[in-house]
């Protein structure tokens, strides 16, 4: 199964480069006796459109059919990370300056707006306009929050 994921990753990365997109995640799993191959793509300059998903889906499907490396029947889905996407590295925090985030630390959850990122410190503005400094290495989990 690991070999399949590695090969799909290579195929999906090449397809993403062709369309100026980024591969965000790949999951290949069995649920209730059915196999699923989920590919999550991102657009670093804009949002992910349905056309982007269609392009990657067609490209990956074509390559997988040609190589025939997945022995069982499976369902292929291509999607975006979503509005509440996880922030997985310091570059994600830089990319989403001025966006609302939820950050989980060891003993605390903080919701606020990313105001700046310097070195490995995130400057977060909480509801009361107070700026809080959070070291990146203290973050257990972070994701964008939908701002209504």
């Amino acid at each position: 199964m690991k070999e399949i994921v590695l090969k799909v990753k290579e195929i999906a990365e090449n397809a993403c480069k062709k369309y100026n997109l980024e591969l965000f995640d790949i999951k290949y799993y069995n649920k209730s006796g059915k196999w699923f191959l989920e590919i999550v793509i991102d657009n670093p300059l804009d949002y992910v459109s349905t056309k982007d998903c269609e392009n990657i889906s067609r490209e990956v499907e074509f390559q997988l059919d040609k190589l025939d490396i997945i022995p069982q029947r499976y369902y292929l889905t291509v999607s975006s990370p979503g509005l509440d996407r996880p922030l997985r590295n310091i570059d994600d925090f830089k990319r989403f300056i001025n966006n609302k985030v939820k950050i989980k630390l060891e003993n605390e959850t903080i919701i606020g707006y990313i105001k700046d990122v310097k070195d490995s410190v995130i400057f977060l503005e909480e509801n009361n306009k107070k700026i809080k400094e959070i070291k990146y290495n203290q973050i257990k989990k972070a994701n964008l929050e939908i701002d209504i």
Side-chain angles (χ1 to χ4, degrees):
M1 190 154 58
K2 209 179 235 184
E3 298 83 28
I4 290 172
V5 171
L6 288 174
K7 189 61 183 170
V8 170
K9 181 179 179 188
E10 179 185 326
I11 292 167
E13 282 176 338
N14 288 335
C16 285
K17 283 179 191 168
K18 180 177 177 180
Y19 293 100
N20 298 314
L21 300 167
E22 292 178 353
L23 180 63
F24 188 83
D25 199 10
I26 293 180
K27 293 178 185 163
Y28 180 59
Y29 60 92
N30 186 310
K31 183 177 179 183
S32 302
K34 295 178 182 176
W35 284 93
F36 295 87
L37 176 58
E38 293 180 3
I39 299 173
V40 182
I41 59 172
D42 196 13
N43 184 337
L45 304 175
D46 205 355
Y47 67 94
V48 174
S49 69
T50 53
K51 187 71 175 164
D52 292 331
C53 293
E54 289 173 14
N55 288 337
I56 299 304
S57 179
R58 283 192 187 108
E59 188 86 20
V60 169
E61 187 176 35
F62 175 77
Q63 293 297 325
L64 289 176
D65 286 349
K66 203 162 70 169
L67 294 173
D68 197 25
I69 58 171
I70 302 178
Q72 60 275 358
R73 185 177 175 185
Y74 64 93
Y75 297 91
L76 172 65
T77 61
V78 179
S79 63
S80 75
L83 295 175
D84 60 348
R85 64 179 297 139
L87 301 178
R88 304 189 304 182
N89 55 51
I90 200 76
D91 289 333
D92 281 350
F93 283 92
K94 290 176 185 174
R95 176 177 169 193
F96 291 104
I97 285 177
N98 294 321
N99 283 269
K100 190 174 185 180
V101 295
K102 177 192 262 183
I103 297 176
K104 293 186 180 189
L105 305 173
E106 186 69 38
N107 297 311
E108 180 182 15
T109 299
I110 305 165
I111 297 176
Y113 292 86
I114 304 168
K115 287 300 165 188
D116 200 3
V117 179
K118 289 187 180 159
D119 298 320
S120 59
V121 177
I122 291 103
F123 295 87
L124 199 71
E125 182 180 291
E126 294 181 280
N127 289 339
N128 59 4
K129 305 289 182 197
K130 182 178 127 192
I131 301 290
K132 185 166 191 149
E133 295 180 23
I134 303 167
K135 292 182 182 168
Y136 178 73
N137 64 4
Q138 294 176 325
I139 297 172
K140 300 296 178 201
K141 184 179 177 186
N143 62 281
L144 289 180
E145 283 283 289
I146 299 170
D147 195 7
I148 21 181

